[in-house]
Amino acid sequence: MDARTVHELRETILNRIQHILIHSYGQSLDSIDQNNLDAHLAFKGDPQLNELRLALYRMKEGTYGNCIYCKNPISVEILRRSPTAHFCESCAAKLSAHLKRNSMHKTAS
Ligand SMILES: [Zn+2]
């Protein structure tokens, strides 16, 4: 994934964080020290914020956008739709089929 796409997805993630902070906590991202952002978001204990926080963390580590199962890159279309995606299309489909076989529940994307 090129740096521009990572930057674009990072903006998307930050916008989502901003949205949650404003609507659930009446707080703006701008009021948070960027150096303490990770700890600040972790402290909220909000599962959605946590997913977004971990996506930012993976970006920092350079593992962002790789499928956690097969390690192949996740397509940019999937990441644009769901910037916190953990699985590539093929693994997501396999997982979904597996879950369908084992339960009546549908997988959350
Ligand atoms: Zn995969």
Side-chain angles (χ1 to χ4, degrees):
M1 192 184 311
D2 61 84
R4 213 183 64 192
T5 309
V6 174
H7 182 81
E8 176 202 313
L9 290 167
R10 190 169 190 276
E11 289 297 306
T12 307
I13 290 170
L14 287 172
N15 281 339
R16 290 190 181 195
I17 290 174
Q18 173 86 307
H19 186 84
I20 295 171
L21 284 177
I22 288 173
H23 289 273
S24 302
Y25 302 97
Q27 192 175 32
S28 168
L29 196 54
D30 308 322
S31 68
I32 300 165
D33 179 0
Q34 292 294 306
N35 297 318
N36 290 325
L37 184 62
D38 192 74
H40 189 92
L41 296 178
F43 185 70
K44 299 275 193 218
D46 181 309
Q48 261 186 305
L49 276 182
N50 209 40
E51 279 291 300
L52 294 162
R53 178 181 72 80
L54 289 171
L56 288 180
Y57 183 77
R58 293 198 297 277
M59 278 181 179
K60 207 155 82 178
E61 280 210 312
T63 58
Y64 180 77
N66 292 335
C67 173
I68 59 167
Y69 189 70
C70 70
K71 314 288 180 206
N72 285 324
I74 302 170
S75 83
V76 174
E77 289 105 86
I78 293 179
L79 291 170
R80 285 210 173 106
R81 215 181 318 133
S82 174
T84 58
H86 289 107
F87 300 105
C88 69
E89 206 158 5
S90 123
C91 289
K94 273 183 226 158
L95 185 71
S96 165
H98 179 77
L99 290 175
K100 257 183 214 155
R101 270 200 305 277
N102 287 292
S103 77
M104 297 299 285
H105 296 289
K106 287 191 107 181
T107 43
S109 57

